[in-house]
Amino acid sequence: ISGIMDESTETEHVEQRGTPARIVARLIGIVFEPRKTMSKVSFESGVWVPILIISLSLIIVRLVLAPEMNTRLQDPEFITSYSQQRGITEEKAVEELEIVYSLSPYITFVESPILVLIGTAIVSFIVLLIGKRVYKIAVPFRTLFNMVSWASVVSAIPLLLSVPLKLINSEWDLPTNPGFLLPVDSLNPYFHQLLQTLDVFLIWEIGLISIGMSVIYKISLQRALSSIGTMFLIFIVLNVLVSASGL
């Protein structure tokens, strides 16, 4: 099966321009009419919009946290550890760390969109493999990349909402996961990290990708949710194991 929509409809979607009004309509539609919106954005041009929104949100948060990074780089224990790892004197270590901090804003502006693109591409590729192997349907990578990009735009919301909290205290996070309700000391570190990962915005993103997948592959939402949920569960477990182990 190679056709998901008839050629004329797909061409019509692709040729539509990403005007400001259309962009706002798509963003609002993600919230209030997710199925209808995902069926449109998957075949439209303008994938740069969600990528740009997520990238800018990530950049803002990282710039807000820059002073904290500078404080850490100036910590005597960190300087000593860094100098030992590099096999250099502490004076030389201080010079290198000052260069790192001075370049960090530029690195942030370059690195953030790259990370967003890579993350989106990985998820899109896995969805592509699921479609081919499980559903026996071939869908262009671009279509899936569009869908995942727009579904992921909701990940910018917690980033932007966390900015005021980070300005007050860099360790504060949004109370949008079960880990916020339970004391850290009373939980196994792996379990606590797992609870922190189960964020409502991540669940929302999983739901949107599942909706998009059900539309593109013409399958039930339950079947799509099972596939996407399993994929993200694997990601979550791997992330928890790495984070809680301090690797």
Side-chain angles (χ1 to χ4, degrees):
I1 302 176
S2 58
I4 305 303
M5 296 182 64
D6 63 88
E7 184 177 352
S8 62
T9 302
E10 183 172 344
T11 303
E12 177 184 352
H13 283 322
V14 172
E15 292 178 350
Q16 290 176 337
R17 295 182 178 180
T19 62
R22 186 175 300 281
I23 292 171
V24 173
R26 295 295 178 256
L27 293 174
I28 294 176
I30 288 290
V31 178
F32 295 104
E33 293 182 304
R35 187 172 186 86
K36 178 180 178 181
T37 303
M38 295 305 296
S39 67
K40 292 181 179 179
V41 297
S42 297
F43 300 96
E44 290 180 351
S45 59
V47 70
W48 58 268
V49 173
I51 296 296
L52 181 61
I53 292 174
I54 302 171
S55 299
L56 289 177
S57 301
L58 181 58
I59 288 171
I60 291 172
V61 172
R62 295 180 70 174
L63 291 179
V64 168
L65 293 175
E68 180 196 9
M69 184 186 77
N70 187 37
T71 300
R72 183 188 178 192
L73 295 180
Q74 293 177 346
D75 182 76
E77 292 185 4
F78 182 82
I79 294 174
T80 300
S81 176
Y82 177 83
S83 64
Q84 292 174 349
Q85 292 292 329
R86 292 275 290 112
I88 58 178
T89 64
E90 292 193 5
E91 291 75 14
K92 181 64 175 178
V94 170
E95 293 179 4
E96 289 189 2
L97 292 174
E98 288 179 349
I99 294 175
V100 170
Y101 180 71
S102 64
L103 293 177
S104 61
Y106 306 101
I107 295 175
T108 295
F109 275 94
V110 174
E111 185 181 52
S112 296
I114 293 176
L115 291 175
V116 173
L117 285 169
I118 290 176
T120 304
I122 290 174
V123 174
S124 303
F125 181 71
I126 294 176
V127 173
L128 178 70
L129 292 180
I130 293 174
K132 284 186 176 181
R133 300 295 182 181
V134 179
Y135 307 133
K136 310 300 181 183
I137 300 175
V139 174
F141 179 80
R142 177 181 175 181
T143 299
L144 297 176
F145 189 83
N146 287 353
M147 183 270 287
V148 173
S149 298
W150 277 100
S152 301
V153 77
V154 297
S155 65
I157 299 176
L159 290 173
L160 294 176
L161 291 179
S162 69
V163 170
L165 296 178
K166 298 297 183 183
L167 289 173
I168 300 173
N169 189 325
S170 60
E171 296 183 357
W172 287 2
D173 293 308
L174 291 174
T176 54
N177 61 77
F180 180 82
L181 303 175
L182 300 173
V184 180
D185 298 336
S186 65
L187 298 173
N188 179 283
Y190 292 95
F191 184 63
H192 184 263
Q193 185 70 25
L194 176 62
L195 292 179
Q196 285 186 313
T197 306
L198 296 176
D199 190 90
V200 295
F201 290 101
L202 175 61
I203 296 174
W204 187 4
E205 182 178 345
I206 292 173
L208 288 174
I209 295 177
S210 300
I211 291 173
M213 193 172 185
S214 69
V215 169
I216 293 174
Y217 286 99
K218 298 186 182 300
I219 58 176
S220 69
L221 178 59
Q222 290 78 8
R223 193 177 181 192
L225 188 59
S226 175
S227 299
I228 301 301
T230 301
M231 177 186 69
F232 271 90
L233 181 60
I234 294 174
F235 285 162
I236 289 171
V237 171
L238 292 176
N239 178 67
V240 168
L241 291 175
V242 173
S243 300
S245 300
L247 298 177

